[in-house]
Amino acid sequence: MIKKDPKGDTDSLLEDVRNDYRAFPEMGIKRCLQCGLCTSNCPAARHSDYDPREMVKMVRDNNPEIMNNPDIWNCFYCYTCGSNCPANNSPCIVNQILRQKILLKGENNARIYEFLAYGYSYLDFGVGSIPSDFFDGLVADFGQKYVELKINLEDIRHDLGLEDYNLKGEALEEVKSILSSSGFTSRLEEFKRCHES
Amino acid sequence: MSTTKSKLEKNHPLTKEEDTKNPEKVGVFLCRCGGNISHTVDMAKLKDSIQADFVGEFENLCSLNCRRHIREEIIDKELDRVVIAACSPITHLKTFQNYADLLNPYMVEMVNIREQCSWVHSDSAKATKKAIELTQSGVEKVKKAQALDKIIRQTEKSAAVFGGGISGITAALSLANQGVKTCIIEKNPTIGGNMVKIGKVFSPEKLAEECSLCILNPIINEVINHKNIRILTKTNLLRAGRRSTHFKIILEKQTGFVHEDLCISCGRCVEVCPVDVPDEWNQKMTTRKAIYKPFAQAVPDVYNIDLENCIRCGKCEKVCTVGAIDFNLKSEIIPLEAGNVVIATGHESFDLNKRPEYGYQRFDDVISQMDLARILGVNGPTQGELLKISDGKRPERVVMVQCTGSRDEKDDGKRYCSKVCCMVALKHASIIRERFPETEVVICYTDMRTVGMYENYLRYVQDKDIKLIRGRPGEVTKKDDKLVVRVEDTLERKPLEIETDMVVLSEAIEPSPGTMRIAQKFNVGLSQDLFIKEKHSKIKPVNTDMERVFVCGTAQGPKDITDSVSQANAAAAKVSEQIKSGTEAEPPVAVIKTSQCNLCGKCMDICGFKAVYRDEENMAIDPMACRGCGACAGQCPQEAIEIKGINDLELYAQIRGLLSDKKEGEIRILAFLDNVGYTAADAIGNNRLCYPEAIRIIKIPSINRIMPHHLMYAFLHGADGVLMAEYPDECMLEAHKAKIKELSESVKNQGIPSDRLRFYKAYAPHYRGLAQQFTRFFEDITREI
């Protein structure tokens, strides 16, 4: 994990989270009021036992048990919690940092199998795009408009004087080579293998 | 440092000895302090060594019988000036100025041979030598002293109170009762403020809700009839100018097209007015006419035309039997002179549209606490019946959302607690449960803040069966025809969706733009949260950073009526003190020589005490606000500012005296200490800590008083080091920084090693730090030499 603090992991979960590069400097995790506004707005909390307030509390209490809590995998990064938090905390970012820590320990790899398609989209198109598995759901949510946008996207972009959404040729090769030499590609393969075995 | 010295001599204008001829006679009174001084200092030697017109030695100089000795010697020896070599001027200068009251107080100089000599040095010979030098330096200094008088400024016996709410009314009434001519300036057509609107006030003492208008009415009546009070409604501040004893204020009274003295408030005009306007008095839940009186008991009791909405049809004019309506009336400019100003301009409510997730605008039955107050008010839109706006039916459940906009770090939120909302919610819960027991009340809170005796009120309301849920709601939505409040019951770890008929948002208190405008016109500082800032919340409450401008009520910060009234009375007391005492200012103070001033305004910019201001055509310094720190004098390109009370000649004499008789190889360090630094140095003595004899202390009002030429003078006369210690006063931080830079650069330019000039932040209780600083400085220089 990239750390602001080069010394690496401290024995404090709270400090680890605060020092993570994802945590913005003024993130108010220490000032959390435990008011529960995040949970009241959280779609994952509405449909599962995930409780972002409790997750933040456990991090503040340096309670490592939170890493074993299966519910934290139910957050799907809508960022509503962070946009409303009166203490200017972002439970969503805290969640991401926790997941990263867990994955780096080699645990719970299977949890991100369904996200792998995002990663592969960088290899295939040079940009992050919504995996095709989600297509039907999106059509159900947004209707025919979504289908038309999806089909005509490149034409619409051309009409607007924009370049192609997906990268091609040299640019795509460049992205691929960056992803390969940075270890991104092999990580994807590793997660894929984990799931298949 | 010999090369440095020759360079200095070339550059320094004051290398030649100043005129030392001084015909005035100086007497020196030495105190043994019952052994505290004489056990260490050889008094006989000290007495013999001092050159003065009289030197006497006494056992306890501060004892009353010494008062007689001092007086006698002054008369006998015809002394003009006196040096008291004893203890600290901080504790005893007043005493000795009093004992020597035949002389001007500034002809009395104290030399501290106890805290700065016998108590901090153990070597008798060295201590004696230092005592001699300290005392002789005092003699030289007092020869240059100038007789000064205390400055008395009689503030004009009048006050302008901005804001006619409960705070302004209270302050004005208290002042008027003390004989102060007071003018209440209110922007609205009536006085009374928010208190008349809220209907009921909570009483934690009686465990009841009381009628606010009934409490306020007698006070308002007193205000109306008071011979010392003038009320100006519909009036705004245009300009404010500062003078030495008063403010010149220009006001604009908006016209309401009605002669206030003719209107008999019969109300015929309202009946014929064709224009409907949303009524602010009822939070726009009802309408009023373009000609209106805000509420039945409004003061002044007259109708007003709302110029913005009036269509000038003239119907009201025709029906008015007393000829009070006149469309030719113009706004009036009113000049006002007031000795003091009280800012009591109150607050505004947080704009609930900034929290769209709560649906204030989208759903009729999402209302604010102020809306609810009007609904519950018997003179409100529903005559006090708890009814929904959407369908006029009684709600089965009311959910209150606390901290709407308060304790919220998001950009448009208020970071502070608004302080009253918990009690307001409980008050309304209490009224609802009492009068409409079939309606359930749920309060969603982050923390219940019912501090002090207010806890009694919480218990009283809890007994009426309310439901408290610990959690801050994230959203209010609608499901079918019910409102849904999403909140986590954090104590149960349970996200809830509470179905309800009415949601009441407890809106934050926020500073009003009007308050900020007035602050700007009077040059009064604001807090981080944009309320009026008190000079010091502990020791100077209700004072602002501007002399003779005071603040009370919610203009200063969120607070309830109880606290507002206390604060208003405090502000009135402070105004009264200002007027009655005729404030005394003691030197040191800065004085501008107007003839030399080119009005550049640099002095005004640097002064953190806001003592400098622009009079009609001159720059002026308010001696009451001035601390004599000297920052302005350092900035003045015309050398037009003099610091009375510690002049250059005194400083030079003292510096020279403290550096005299320096032996080969001896080290001398001058320590310029402000009042706090000096107090800390006294504490070093009181605690019998030690530091080197090389340290020689000079008491100054501030390091801002020290100019580069003073420093050069010190180095030239043999100082090996200069320490400047000062308490880091918040309002002068910028001036300090500039001064430190200026002095450091001047030392650098003269080729003096930079570590020979040191700056230190002094704190009275941290005297050990100062003692260490003294010792370290001495050791560093010893190593170098």
Side-chain angles (χ1 to χ4, degrees):
Chain A
M1 196 187 322
I2 302 164
K3 287 275 183 178
K4 282 177 198 162
D5 177 6
K7 278 176 281 181
D9 272 21
T10 62
D11 50 6
S12 156
L13 181 58
L14 174 60
E15 289 310 313
D16 279 356
V17 168
R18 289 185 65 232
N19 289 330
D20 191 277
Y21 74 98
R22 286 166 219 258
F24 52 100
E26 62 279 14
M27 192 171 90
I29 183 165
K30 283 189 171 180
R31 298 193 296 270
C32 169
L33 299 158
Q34 287 290 303
C35 70
L37 190 145
C38 49
T39 304
S40 74
N41 269 332
C42 176
R46 207 173 304 153
H47 298 289
S48 76
D49 272 345
Y50 175 52
D51 187 337
R53 175 192 57 77
E54 194 186 50
M55 173 191 69
V56 170
K57 182 174 191 316
M58 288 176 79
V59 170
R60 289 205 328 176
D61 292 347
N62 288 313
N63 185 345
E65 272 304 301
I66 188 62
M67 313 279 267
N68 303 326
N69 183 327
D71 295 318
I72 65 169
W73 296 92
N74 295 332
C75 166
F76 49 88
Y77 300 176
C78 74
Y79 290 93
T80 309
C81 50
S83 69
N84 287 340
C85 173
N88 208 18
N89 187 22
S90 177
C92 183
I93 289 177
V94 173
N95 183 300
Q96 292 172 21
I97 295 168
L98 291 178
R99 287 186 187 184
Q100 179 85 59
K101 276 178 87 72
I102 295 164
L103 291 171
L104 280 175
K105 282 204 258 171
E107 293 163 14
N108 273 294
N109 283 352
R111 290 279 183 190
I112 58 162
Y113 177 73
E114 57 196 271
F115 296 105
L116 287 184
Y118 283 107
Y120 280 110
S121 73
Y122 285 97
L123 292 174
D124 296 343
F125 311 115
V127 289
S129 53
I130 298 168
S132 50
D133 285 358
F134 296 174
F135 187 75
D136 289 347
L138 284 160
V139 173
D141 284 350
F142 295 105
Q144 192 56 29
K145 248 169 76 182
Y146 182 75
V147 182
E148 278 161 25
L149 177 74
K150 203 69 192 160
I151 294 169
N152 300 319
L153 181 64
E154 299 295 22
D155 289 344
I156 294 169
R157 290 179 65 88
H158 286 162
D159 290 349
L160 292 169
L162 299 170
E163 290 175 30
D164 286 349
Y165 182 76
N166 296 332
L167 298 185
K168 290 189 179 98
E170 209 180 314
L172 182 58
E173 288 311 312
E174 209 175 318
V175 171
K176 273 186 183 171
S177 111
I178 291 170
L179 295 177
S180 167
S181 49
S182 65
F184 181 85
T185 315
S186 57
R187 283 283 278 164
L188 282 181
E189 296 300 330
E190 197 184 316
F191 283 122
K192 199 175 171 188
R193 263 199 313 280
C194 280
H195 183 72
E196 281 160 3
S197 66
Chain B
M1 300 247 294
S2 57
T3 49
T4 312
K5 190 167 175 178
S6 63
K7 194 173 169 195
L8 276 175
E9 271 165 8
K10 230 185 318 164
N11 295 346
H12 202 280
L14 276 161
T15 27
K16 282 182 214 133
E17 287 295 289
E18 303 97 38
D19 181 16
T20 48
K21 264 182 255 159
N22 200 321
E24 311 233 350
K25 286 184 160 181
V26 180
V28 178
F29 296 80
L30 305 173
C31 180
R32 299 171 62 85
C33 195
N36 277 306
I37 293 169
S38 56
H39 280 172
T40 313
V41 175
D42 179 343
M43 297 304 282
K45 191 170 179 194
L46 173 60
K47 191 178 168 190
D48 287 346
S49 309
I50 298 301
Q51 289 162 26
D53 300 285
F54 163 81
V55 184
E57 187 188 334
F58 302 86
E59 190 61 33
N60 274 311
L61 204 51
C62 60
S63 64
L64 265 180
N65 65 335
C66 280
R67 178 196 183 112
R68 188 171 50 84
H69 291 309
I70 291 172
R71 290 176 143 229
E72 278 172 8
E73 298 300 346
I74 290 172
I75 295 165
D76 264 19
K77 309 285 184 321
E78 296 179 322
L79 299 176
D80 302 298
R81 286 145 202 258
V82 159
V83 172
I84 308 288
C87 52
S88 173
I90 295 207
T91 54
H92 280 77
L93 181 62
K94 281 265 182 313
T95 309
F96 290 112
Q97 282 176 336
N98 184 20
Y99 284 8
D101 60 0
L102 297 166
L103 305 176
N104 180 283
Y106 297 92
M107 297 291 112
V108 178
E109 173 68 18
M110 272 195 86
V111 175
N112 191 346
I113 56 169
R114 191 179 71 179
E115 280 88 340
Q116 290 173 21
C117 205
S118 66
W119 276 355
V120 288
H121 309 313
S122 47
D123 181 320
S124 173
K126 283 184 184 170
T128 305
K129 181 173 181 292
K130 181 174 172 182
I132 294 166
E133 286 152 10
L134 293 182
T135 310
Q136 194 63 45
S137 160
V139 173
E140 300 312 317
K141 183 185 174 193
V142 79
K143 283 179 184 169
K144 306 293 181 193
Q146 288 173 336
L148 295 169
D149 290 321
K150 282 182 183 162
I151 300 157
I152 310 280
R153 267 298 141 81
Q154 193 64 53
T155 304
E156 281 188 19
K157 200 173 179 179
S158 57
V161 176
F162 287 89
I166 179 64
S167 303
I169 291 172
T170 305
L173 192 56
S174 167
L175 285 167
N177 284 339
Q178 298 178 71
V180 179
K181 289 279 175 205
T182 304
C183 181
I184 298 176
I185 299 131
E186 168 59 52
K187 71 172 191 302
N188 291 317
T190 174
I191 60 169
N194 282 313
M195 184 168 168
V196 290
K197 247 172 106 169
I198 59 174
K200 296 264 180 164
V201 292
F202 56 78
S203 168
E205 299 80 26
K206 295 179 193 162
L207 296 180
E209 294 78 38
E210 296 177 281
C211 163
S212 64
L213 199 56
C214 309
I215 304 176
L216 198 55
N217 234 21
I219 303 172
I220 288 183
N221 285 336
E222 232 183 302
V223 166
I224 309 169
N225 297 317
H226 208 295
K227 67 180 193 320
N228 289 332
I229 294 181
R230 177 185 181 193
I231 301 172
L232 292 172
T233 48
K234 296 176 75 115
T235 304
N236 288 305
L237 172 66
L238 287 185
R239 275 212 312 271
R242 187 175 172 192
R243 299 292 176 271
S244 64
T245 58
H246 63 275
F247 292 95
K248 275 191 123 129
I249 296 164
I250 310 287
L251 304 166
E252 183 179 32
K253 184 171 169 63
Q254 305 289 332
T255 181
F257 292 154
V258 174
H259 289 285
E260 287 187 10
D261 48 344
L262 296 180
C263 175
I264 53 165
S265 198
C266 65
R268 277 170 205 250
C269 48
V270 174
E271 286 163 26
V272 297
C273 180
V275 186
D276 286 320
V277 182
D279 188 358
E280 306 83 357
W281 163 254
N282 274 331
Q283 296 284 93
K284 305 193 177 171
M285 290 181 280
T286 57
T287 58
R288 58 164 170 83
K289 296 295 180 181
I291 187 160
Y292 72 112
K293 193 168 75 171
F295 59 100
Q297 299 83 355
V299 170
D301 186 13
V302 292
Y303 281 83
N304 283 280
I305 292 178
D306 156 7
L307 270 58
E308 235 173 86
N309 293 297
C310 169
I311 54 167
R312 272 73 164 174
C313 68
K315 283 184 183 158
C316 52
E317 195 179 7
K318 288 193 196 93
V319 296
C320 181
T321 53
V322 292
I325 298 169
D326 179 353
F327 287 93
N328 293 318
L329 284 177
K330 297 268 179 298
S331 289
E332 197 186 341
I333 301 294
I334 303 172
L336 181 72
E337 285 195 1
N340 302 274
V341 167
V342 177
I343 301 178
T345 40
H347 66 274
E348 291 206 352
S349 293
F350 180 72
D351 176 6
L352 293 170
N353 293 316
K354 288 180 181 168
R355 290 291 172 270
E357 59 269 34
Y358 290 153
Y360 182 65
Q361 199 79 294
R362 271 178 296 143
F363 308 126
D364 283 344
D365 296 322
V366 176
I367 61 173
S368 71
Q369 288 288 3
M370 185 53 109
D371 298 340
L372 180 60
R374 290 312 309 141
I375 290 172
L376 295 173
V378 286
N379 55 2
T382 56
Q383 283 81 48
E385 285 298 310
L386 177 65
L387 300 173
K388 288 188 279 174
I389 294 174
S390 58
D391 58 7
K393 287 186 188 150
R394 171 92 14 99
E396 285 170 28
R397 180 185 281 162
V398 175
V399 177
M400 296 183 184
V401 177
Q402 297 306 98
C403 301
T404 310
S406 301
R407 302 183 71 196
D408 185 343
E409 289 189 44
K410 283 284 176 265
D411 286 346
D412 52 4
K414 304 292 159 193
R415 295 173 313 162
Y416 48 83
C417 163
S418 292
K419 226 172 167 181
V420 300
C421 337
C422 285
M423 289 298 282
V424 170
L426 287 172
K427 172 183 75 181
H428 289 158
S430 175
I431 295 169
I432 292 171
R433 294 296 299 148
E434 190 76 43
R435 283 176 33 207
F436 314 103
E438 67 279 23
T439 299
E440 188 191 0
V441 179
V442 180
I443 301 177
C444 301
Y445 68 96
T446 308
D447 291 292
M448 266 332 250
R449 292 188 164 170
T450 52
V451 294
M453 301 308 146
Y454 290 4
E455 191 74 6
N456 294 341
Y457 190 79
L458 169 63
R459 278 203 298 270
Y460 152 77
V461 182
Q462 278 180 303
D463 283 343
K464 294 187 172 184
D465 292 327
I466 55 166
K467 187 158 190 190
L468 293 171
I469 292 182
R470 203 272 169 194
R472 193 184 293 203
E475 196 180 10
V476 177
T477 56
K478 205 157 191 181
K479 206 189 250 172
D480 305 326
D481 55 351
K482 287 278 188 187
L483 293 166
V484 175
V485 178
R486 288 216 169 95
V487 62
E488 183 193 13
D489 184 337
T490 58
L491 303 179
E492 298 280 337
R493 195 202 182 280
K494 205 162 78 187
L496 302 175
E497 294 192 343
I498 308 171
E499 288 194 357
T500 182
D501 312 297
M502 190 183 255
V503 173
V504 185
L505 306 175
S506 291
E507 68 274 35
I509 280 181
E510 66 177 25
S512 72
T515 303
M516 291 181 233
R517 273 196 299 277
I518 286 183
Q520 192 234 330
K521 292 203 163 111
F522 280 101
N523 191 20
V524 165
L526 298 174
S527 69
Q528 211 179 354
D529 295 302
L530 303 179
F531 290 98
I532 303 269
K533 189 171 74 185
E534 288 177 315
K535 195 162 190 176
H536 192 290
S537 60
K538 299 275 186 291
I539 58 168
K540 293 269 182 191
V542 307
N543 283 73
T544 66
D545 59 0
M546 178 61 68
E547 280 295 303
R548 292 178 284 113
V549 179
F550 302 87
V551 64
C552 60
T554 50
Q556 184 268 322
K559 59 179 66 66
D560 64 11
I561 294 168
T562 312
D563 287 352
S564 293
V565 169
S566 301
Q567 210 181 16
N569 281 314
K574 281 291 162 191
V575 169
S576 185
E577 182 183 314
Q578 185 83 30
I579 290 169
K580 295 234 167 73
S581 66
T583 318
E584 268 182 14
E586 282 197 45
V589 290
V591 179
I592 294 185
K593 290 174 252 174
T594 309
S595 60
Q596 272 167 255
C597 170
N598 68 356
L599 299 169
C600 73
K602 284 186 179 160
C603 46
M604 193 159 74
D605 297 339
I606 196 81
C607 182
F609 303 106
K610 295 188 177 175
V612 190
Y613 61 98
R614 208 179 283 269
D615 205 328
E616 250 142 336
E617 52 221 19
N618 295 319
M619 298 303 296
I621 293 176
D622 183 342
M624 303 307 146
C626 177
R627 306 268 184 96
C629 77
C632 52
Q635 293 288 311
C636 180
Q638 299 294 108
E639 294 183 13
I641 299 177
E642 189 189 346
I643 309 299
K644 295 270 187 200
I646 176 155
N647 65 51
D648 275 358
L649 294 180
E650 281 175 281
L651 263 176
Y652 286 134
Q654 196 177 8
I655 292 170
R656 211 170 46 235
L658 292 177
L659 296 169
S660 63
D661 288 327
K662 189 182 163 192
K663 301 278 179 303
E664 188 63 33
E666 189 187 340
I667 290 169
R668 293 273 173 93
I669 295 167
L670 291 185
F672 290 92
L673 306 183
D674 78 330
N675 219 38
V676 171
Y678 199 94
T679 306
D682 278 355
I684 298 173
N686 290 326
N687 289 282
R688 307 296 198 280
L689 301 180
C690 283
Y691 58 76
E693 291 83 2
I695 305 293
R696 305 291 158 97
I697 292 168
I698 296 179
K699 186 168 178 288
I700 51 169
S702 156
I703 65 169
N704 289 314
R705 177 68 190 92
I706 302 304
M707 308 296 162
H709 57 84
H710 297 126
L711 267 190
M712 293 316 125
Y713 192 82
F715 283 116
L716 181 60
H717 283 79
D720 298 286
V722 172
L723 178 74
M724 304 228 165
E726 177 152 17
Y727 175 70
D729 197 330
E730 192 192 349
C731 66
M732 287 308 282
L733 285 185
E734 285 310 308
H736 280 183
K737 268 189 230 160
K739 177 55 75 178
I740 289 173
K741 190 164 172 252
E742 182 197 13
L743 293 181
S744 305
E745 275 171 12
S746 77
V747 162
K748 198 175 145 202
N749 291 340
Q750 295 293 340
I752 297 164
S754 62
D755 69 338
R756 295 302 177 94
L757 172 64
R758 294 185 184 183
F759 297 93
Y760 181 72
K761 286 178 185 165
Y763 297 92
H766 193 42
Y767 54 87
R768 279 175 206 280
L770 184 62
Q772 277 165 16
Q773 190 69 24
F774 286 159
T775 308
R776 199 174 309 139
F777 203 171
F778 176 76
E779 287 169 356
D780 289 349
I781 292 177
T782 311
R783 254 197 309 281
E784 281 176 38
I785 292 176

